[in-house]
Amino acid sequence: MTPAVFLDRDGTINVDKDYMYRVEDFEYMEGAVEGLKALERAGFLLVVVTNQSGIARGFFTENDYHVLMDWMKKDLAEKGIHIAADYYCPHLPGAKVKKYNIECECRKPKTGLYMRAIRELDIDPDRSYAVGDKIRDLEICRTTGVTGILLGDKNKEREDYFSICENWKEIVDLIKGGDHAFT
Ligand SMILES: [Mg+2]
Ligand SMILES: [Zn+2]
């Protein structure tokens, strides 16, 4: 079993620009590329887990999602970073596109995508982390041994099942500090 870092995409790897799907709108968060590189060097699988309700809302298609994600993975590969896999939820209850208008088991805070990744990639939850800019990205940390890190303002929301880091450098320092017991 291998340790992984589960990564939210929008607002964590790249700047969140509301239902973004075009390559030309893509912009990395400050320190994200260096951070991802450091985590991969430290032996973690990098796994993207992302809600993409823009698909259910009819703003873009699953194919558009794949085009942007393939571009991102290729761009990171050119920078020496390998994304092991990406998992996405296209659903939203009540949304416009009928096919995706369901109460699914994969839209975060539900943990279906994480459980699938753990199974398919043989990930060890107890040595893994989840990083995201919303609390819903960290639900997996309540029910498994995955350690949670919220990328955000330290003065804001706080719960006992995650730590808060204000930037990517703090995230890397915390994970490489290797204290898996701080939750
Ligand atoms: Mg986000
Ligand atoms: Zn879903």
Side-chain angles (χ1 to χ4, degrees):
M1 291 212 290
T2 174
V5 180
F6 296 107
L7 300 146
D8 170 51
R9 196 191 76 183
D10 303 322
T12 301
I13 295 176
N14 55 275
V15 177
D16 192 349
K17 295 181 182 170
D18 287 353
Y19 311 113
M20 190 189 69
Y21 66 96
R22 290 189 193 90
V23 170
E24 53 266 40
D25 296 328
F26 190 95
E27 187 189 336
Y28 289 107
M29 295 284 286
E30 194 183 333
V33 170
E34 298 77 4
L36 293 173
K37 191 176 281 187
L39 295 178
E40 192 181 18
R41 297 266 150 85
F44 292 95
L45 277 190
L46 304 179
V47 180
V48 175
V49 179
T50 177
N51 281 354
Q52 293 293 327
S53 71
I55 298 167
R57 296 174 204 267
F59 296 157
F60 55 93
T61 65
E62 283 198 64
N63 187 60
D64 291 327
Y65 166 81
H66 290 297
V67 168
L68 179 60
M69 190 50 88
D70 288 349
W71 176 87
M72 187 191 93
K73 288 197 276 197
K74 187 162 164 281
D75 188 63
L76 287 172
E78 283 166 7
K79 296 170 165 64
I81 299 158
H82 173 64
I83 299 293
D86 68 283
Y87 292 86
Y88 68 100
C89 167
H91 310 115
L92 185 70
K96 181 175 142 198
V97 184
K98 215 172 165 191
K99 170 177 166 195
Y100 304 113
N101 172 8
I102 60 161
E103 182 72 56
C104 67
E105 286 305 315
C106 60
R107 179 172 164 78
K108 296 182 282 187
K110 293 209 174 138
T111 57
L113 297 177
Y114 296 88
M115 297 316 289
R116 227 180 95 200
I118 287 168
R119 214 167 46 234
E120 291 179 356
L121 303 172
D122 198 25
I123 289 167
D124 179 0
D126 294 338
R127 289 189 295 145
S128 296
Y129 292 82
V131 179
D133 67 314
K134 295 206 169 91
I135 288 182
R136 72 179 182 200
D137 301 320
L138 308 174
E139 185 66 21
I140 188 69
C141 309
R142 280 184 198 262
T143 51
T144 67
V146 175
T147 298
I149 300 175
L150 183 71
L151 177 56
D153 182 342
K154 282 183 182 152
N155 298 316
K156 283 209 306 212
E157 59 249 298
R158 193 174 275 278
E159 299 276 354
D160 59 5
Y161 59 94
F162 60 80
S163 293
I164 300 179
C165 289
E166 285 191 345
N167 55 53
W168 262 97
K169 186 180 177 314
E170 286 186 15
I171 293 170
V172 172
D173 288 349
L174 195 153
I175 294 179
K176 288 184 74 179
D179 180 5
H180 295 266
F182 72 86
T183 53

